Amino acid sequence: RATMPLLHRFLGTPLITFLVARACGGRVVRDSQSGFRAFSRERMQALNLQSTGMELASEMLIRAARAGLRIQEVQTGYRPRVGESKLDTFSDGWRHLQLILLLAPDLLLIGPGALLFGLGAVLCLLGFVDPSGVEVGSFRWQPVFFSGIALVLGLQALLAGAVRAYRSSVTTAGVKRRFAFVGRPGFPAQCGVTGLLMIVAGLAIDAGLFIGWLRGAASPPTASLGWASLAQSLLIVGGTLVSFGVISRYIFPQDGPTRTR
């Protein structure tokens, strides 16, 4: 019990083991960070491992599981280290997260991004159902102010995850096929057009609210907060899509028919 720091034992190792299991498609070991392993040299060389640090332990498991190799865990002894450990809690932990992000972008970007985007949409609708807000003890919380943040952050995670999943050299063929739309020549234009339509819709809603205010309302009524939040979300999400469409056209090469002369 005294051989592993509490932060590693109860947070770092369990969290990385959970993420590795998700990236493997299921739990293959109970402790993904044990470096005491035996393997076939030929099989391991075929996995084309790239890591140069502590994250090698995770990459080995993920690639082996995806290659269909048999993985078996056996009980081993664990004693205090003789000498000082070279493990750096935060830098090595960050390297592990980067590796898992490369090998399974849908795990850390697409999944959470979809959940966050969905939460933003639900909170935006809640602003119409109960414009006065939600009572939290003695306070009243207005979900409309967080809905726009959730929508934007969720969309950015989805776009980044899709590009990473399709462009990364270490993702599987199945993942690349799932996000093949990113490489289509018309994808940037579709993002731009969709973003422009959302911006126009947001400006139209804002114009309607402003005209209503000019016609006699001293201050925007509570019911208009939902519309104001929707307009704000449309403007920001639309701007994000337009920016992504422009940037992706020049940064990310698009697949298309090649011409020969």
Side-chain angles (χ1 to χ4, degrees):
R1 293 180 179 273
T3 57
M4 185 182 297
L6 294 179
L7 185 62
H8 297 178
R9 181 180 178 187
F10 294 105
L11 179 61
T13 298
L15 176 60
I16 293 178
T17 299
F18 171 77
L19 294 176
V20 168
R22 292 287 308 278
C24 290
R27 193 178 78 168
V28 292
V29 294
R30 291 178 296 174
D31 180 8
S32 66
Q33 299 311 296
S34 171
F36 187 29
R37 295 175 181 173
F39 45 81
S40 164
R41 177 180 178 178
E42 292 75 15
R43 292 284 190 177
M44 201 54 54
Q45 287 179 331
L47 295 180
N48 191 29
L49 300 176
Q50 302 293 323
S51 298
T52 58
M54 298 292 184
E55 70 278 10
L56 176 66
S58 298
E59 183 185 10
M60 185 184 299
L61 289 175
I62 295 173
R63 288 186 180 271
R66 291 183 173 183
L69 301 185
R70 181 169 57 89
I71 302 173
Q72 184 177 358
E73 189 175 46
V74 298
Q75 292 292 334
T76 62
Y78 194 75
R79 296 181 175 87
R81 173 184 293 270
V82 177
E84 294 185 5
S85 171
K86 300 180 180 64
L87 177 65
D88 188 294
T89 299
F90 296 101
S91 64
D92 285 317
W94 174 240
R95 287 167 68 98
H96 274 282
L97 291 178
Q98 287 181 307
L99 168 76
I100 297 172
L101 176 63
L102 287 173
L103 295 177
D106 52 331
L107 181 61
L108 296 181
L109 285 175
I110 297 174
L115 289 176
L116 195 58
F117 190 85
L119 176 63
V122 170
L123 292 178
C124 187
L125 293 176
L126 188 60
F128 292 94
V129 176
D130 191 358
S132 60
V134 179
E135 288 188 5
V136 182
S138 59
F139 300 95
R140 183 166 290 275
W141 176 58
Q142 293 286 353
V144 294
F145 297 109
F146 181 71
S147 63
I149 299 174
L151 286 170
V152 173
L153 293 179
L155 177 64
Q156 290 178 344
L158 283 170
L159 293 174
V163 172
R164 170 62 70 184
Y166 182 70
R167 295 296 175 189
S168 175
S169 60
V170 295
T171 51
T172 61
V175 173
K176 288 182 180 293
R177 287 194 298 269
R178 192 187 315 162
F179 298 98
F181 61 88
V182 174
R184 294 173 184 169
F187 180 66
Q190 293 172 356
C191 290
V193 171
T194 302
L196 286 175
L197 291 176
M198 297 179 75
I199 291 175
V200 171
L203 291 174
I205 294 174
D206 273 339
L209 293 174
F210 183 67
I211 292 173
W213 176 74
L214 289 178
R215 288 181 175 177
S219 61
T222 305
S224 66
L225 286 177
W227 289 105
S229 173
L230 177 61
Q232 170 186 277
S233 300
L234 288 172
L235 289 172
I236 300 177
V237 172
T240 301
L241 282 174
V242 171
S243 300
F244 178 79
V246 173
I247 293 174
S248 64
R249 182 181 294 275
Y250 296 100
I251 296 181
F252 309 120
Q254 304 299 307
D255 298 336
T258 58
R259 296 179 179 180
T260 56
R261 297 173 57 183

